[in-house]
Amino acid sequence: MRIWNLSGEKFDEKKSVDDASFSPDGKFIATVEQGTNHQKLSFWDWTKQRLTHFKEGFVYHVSIRQSISFSPDSKLLLTPGIDHTIQLRDLSGNVVKEFKIDDNFIIGNMRFSADGKQIVVIGNALGADPDKTSLNIYDYEIVQLWKLSGEKVSEFKIPKKQRGMDISINSDGIVIATTIIDEGDKDYGTVWLWKLSGEKLTEFKPYQGTVKTVRFSPNGKIFATSGIDSTIKLWNLKGQQVGEFKLSQNNSKLKAKENFYPYNIVEENRPRNYVNWMSFSPDGKMLAAACNDGMIRLFVVDDLEDMLERGCNWLDDYFVTRPDMRKEICPENK
């Protein structure tokens, strides 16, 4: 794990870290280190000149990667426990609350709600074929909402063949973004937005080939998508494009060495610089993208009203025959 400032200067480095989570107040980092038969959770203070390990690690014999999350006030940390439980720890490492979830549910990711009073859990569970066309058991992705008391509020079963990409959790509610990554499927490359109730908000194709990443902004008003076409596109919750960033491209030919048994890999005239990971800054004004060429790029994100205005200018000819749509979307008509 390397920590950098926005000028590209390395602040500190820790080896053998598989996952990390920053506290919202920017003072602490929780890290996960992978051992032979266990994982270790550690707490760090990075307000000092260098990272300070202020609490000895806690050993876990269940996977906690990508499932550690700070509360909005930075006072609690979510971690999975053994036997399908969820733990809330204080920054001294003490378990202050623990409750059991569904037995057949495997936790993949957890986050606090915006007010810190509920927990959103993303994971997998086995179930029967929803189309009732076979007797096969399917591995579902499920999003669940829990109170801190351990009461399950609701859940959303992600539709068959779709894959959950990101979740927006803010004062306006919870929105789930899904896509299909099977190139043989007729809906390949489509993005859906869902409410936790199962209501579909929108469905559209960003035309970026495989949708590799989807990330919501902190306020949940816009989200970014990236594919294999060397672009990052910004959208509102109606599926309307409001911005775009282009990455530098590399069209060089790749060919594996002849002694690389038994494979012969050729990738010709295809932009190979795509985004593997994205994240908005806490204020939503910047977007960080880790790219396939090993570089991290920072992009300035305009105000939503500015992006909407630019998008309306792009679609000016389109709106000539659709004045009612212009009135609904464009800022100058609101």
Side-chain angles (χ1 to χ4, degrees), residues 118-189:
Q118 295 177 318
I119 300 169
V120 179
V121 185
I122 308 103
N124 296 78
L126 298 178
D129 179 8
D131 299 332
K132 299 181 180 179
T133 57
S134 74
L135 298 177
N136 294 336
I137 300 299
Y138 284 86
D139 187 4
Y140 288 97
E141 278 194 286
I142 295 179
V143 180
Q144 296 182 339
L145 182 65
W146 295 80
K147 293 182 179 180
L148 298 189
S149 62
E151 176 187 350
K152 183 164 69 172
V153 179
S154 60
E155 76 172 24
F156 169 66
K157 187 179 290 185
I158 292 175
K160 183 179 175 182
K161 297 184 179 180
Q162 294 184 30
R163 173 184 171 187
M165 300 297 288
D166 195 25
I167 294 182
S168 171
I169 308 169
N170 56 71
S171 56
D172 294 329
I174 296 172
V175 178
I176 302 138
T178 66
T179 190
I180 287 179
I181 59 175
D182 180 4
E183 294 189 23
D185 195 280
K186 63 181 179 64
D187 291 320
Y188 169 69

Side-chain angles (χ1 to χ4, degrees), residues 223-234:
F223 62 99
T225 63
S226 72
I228 57 173
D229 65 341
S230 298
T231 66
I232 297 172
K233 295 181 180 180
L234 301 175

Side-chain angles (χ1 to χ4, degrees), residues 21-277:
S21 178
F22 283 80
S23 62
D25 63 9
K27 295 180 180 180
F28 307 108
I29 305 175
T31 63
V32 177
E33 301 171 56
Q34 181 67 56
T36 304
N37 297 307
H38 67 277
Q39 292 180 320
K40 186 171 74 170
L41 173 69
S42 301
F43 296 91
W44 305 84
D45 182 349
W46 78 300
T47 60
K48 315 295 183 185
Q49 193 169 7
R50 296 189 66 81
L51 282 179
T52 302
H53 191 177
F54 70 91
K55 191 66 183 176
E56 286 299 320
F58 301 91
V59 173
Y60 280 81
H61 295 283
V62 295
S63 176
I64 59 174
R65 289 187 61 184
Q66 299 182 338
S67 57
I68 54 174
S69 176
F70 282 95
S71 60
D73 61 6
S74 301
K75 294 181 178 179
L76 294 173
L77 188 73
L78 271 177
T79 63
I82 61 174
D83 296 329
H84 301 91
T85 61
I86 293 176
Q87 297 177 338
L88 283 79
R89 291 182 179 269
D90 61 24
L91 295 190
S92 296
N94 302 313
V95 177
V96 296
K97 180 70 179 179
E98 183 174 22
F99 62 87
K100 188 175 179 62
I101 59 173
D102 301 341
D103 284 334
N104 66 337
F105 190 78
I106 301 173
I107 297 173
N109 197 301
M110 298 189 296
R111 303 181 197 175
F112 280 93
S113 60
D115 59 9
K117 296 180 179 179
Q118 295 177 318
I119 300 169
V120 179
V121 185
I122 308 103
N124 296 78
L126 298 178
D129 179 8
D131 299 332
K132 299 181 180 179
T133 57
S134 74
L135 298 177
N136 294 336
I137 300 299
Y138 284 86
D139 187 4
Y140 288 97
E141 278 194 286
I142 295 179
V143 180
Q144 296 182 339
L145 182 65
W146 295 80
K147 293 182 179 180
L148 298 189
S149 62
E151 176 187 350
K152 183 164 69 172
V153 179
S154 60
E155 76 172 24
F156 169 66
K157 187 179 290 185
I158 292 175
K160 183 179 175 182
K161 297 184 179 180
Q162 294 184 30
R163 173 184 171 187
M165 300 297 288
D166 195 25
I167 294 182
S168 171
I169 308 169
N170 56 71
S171 56
D172 294 329
I174 296 172
V175 178
I176 302 138
T178 66
T179 190
I180 287 179
I181 59 175
D182 180 4
E183 294 189 23
D185 195 280
K186 63 181 179 64
D187 291 320
Y188 169 69
T190 300
V191 172
W192 290 264
L193 297 184
W194 305 88
K195 287 186 177 180
L196 193 60
S197 63
E199 176 188 348
K200 183 171 69 175
L201 293 176
T202 190
E203 171 186 343
F204 70 99
K205 282 196 173 184
Y207 296 103
Q208 295 171 290
T210 300
V211 180
K212 294 187 68 65
T213 52
V214 179
R215 288 293 179 271
F216 286 97
S217 64
N219 65 9
K221 302 296 185 184
I222 63 171
F223 62 99
T225 63
S226 72
I228 57 173
D229 65 341
S230 298
T231 66
I232 297 172
K233 295 181 180 180
L234 301 175
W235 312 83
N236 63 22
L237 296 187
K238 295 180 180 180
Q240 298 156 343
Q241 186 175 348
V242 296
E244 181 174 323
F245 303 117
K246 293 184 181 293
L247 306 176
S248 58
Q249 298 183 2
N250 182 352
N251 293 332
S252 61
K253 178 178 178 180
L254 291 180
K255 187 171 182 178
K257 295 180 180 179
E258 293 182 1
N259 61 357
F260 187 51
Y261 173 83
Y263 306 105
N264 183 31
I265 302 172
V266 177
E267 184 172 338
E268 198 167 5
N269 295 325
R270 174 180 173 182
R272 294 188 292 108
N273 194 10
Y274 52 80
V275 175
N276 290 316
W277 172 90

